[in-house]
Amino acid sequence: MTTYYDLYDSPVGELLFLSDGTALTDLHMTAGKYVPASSGHWQRNSALTVFEQTKRELDAYFAGKLRGFTVPLAPRGTEFQKRAWIALTKIPFGETRTYGQQAHAMGQPTAVRAVGAANGKNPIGIIVPCHRVIGANGTLTGYAGGLHNKAFLLKLEGIL
């Protein structure tokens, strides 16, 4: 199976997009943690429709003109991780939640650490907004793209 990729220069650094040809499967800050290693099956395709849509939506988001993304997503992970990532997409633009609130929203209030681990493995940063999750005491905690980028995104959304 071919995986398509493209790169995008953003205000938070270079972003790597991956796709199965139909949906976005990954969006990573290339200077962050958990960036997948290049594979011999990767093929660059800047004109792929899903990449063009992702770029348009990110351009609008970074310009302060977009509050919600519509690009089709297909993240790969465990069932628990996918549930955690779906919960992230329900956090409204300009709002934050704690890991405990996210776990409670998932119906698993004691799974706070597991939620944190799942968020850390979020393969579609920014669009699946794990940057909106903060520590119980209101501090910025863990972000694979770096806390400075988490702060940037929260400021962009008017939170900080």
Side-chain angles (χ1 to χ4, degrees), residues 23-107:
L24 191 68
T25 60
D26 293 77
L27 186 161
H28 298 277
M29 295 176 189
T30 59
K33 297 179 185 176
Y34 312 121
V35 179
S38 179
S39 161
H41 299 292
W42 288 17
Q43 181 180 348
R44 187 157 192 182
N45 186 343
S46 298
L48 196 65
T49 301
V50 69
F51 292 158
E52 289 179 342
Q53 180 181 355
T54 302
K55 290 173 195 175
R56 279 193 312 273
E57 290 186 8
L58 285 170
D59 286 344
Y61 172 77
F62 287 122
K65 298 176 181 175
L66 181 79
R67 292 175 162 241
F69 294 90
T70 60
V71 64
L73 306 177
R76 292 174 285 227
T78 68
E79 288 308 309
F80 181 84
Q81 287 172 330
K82 289 178 184 178
R83 287 183 41 238
W85 302 333
I86 288 169
L88 290 171
T89 65
K90 297 180 191 291
I91 303 171
F93 178 96
E95 294 184 22
T96 60
R97 300 290 185 271
T98 66
Y99 294 95
Q101 289 170 323
Q102 182 183 356
H104 185 70
M106 292 171 59

Side-chain angles (χ1 to χ4, degrees), residues 4-26:
Y4 299 97
Y5 81 96
D6 200 12
L7 298 169
Y8 170 84
D9 288 322
S10 83
V12 293
E14 184 180 66
L15 303 179
L16 168 68
F17 303 155
L18 298 177
S19 175
D20 58 11
T22 305
L24 191 68
T25 60
D26 293 77

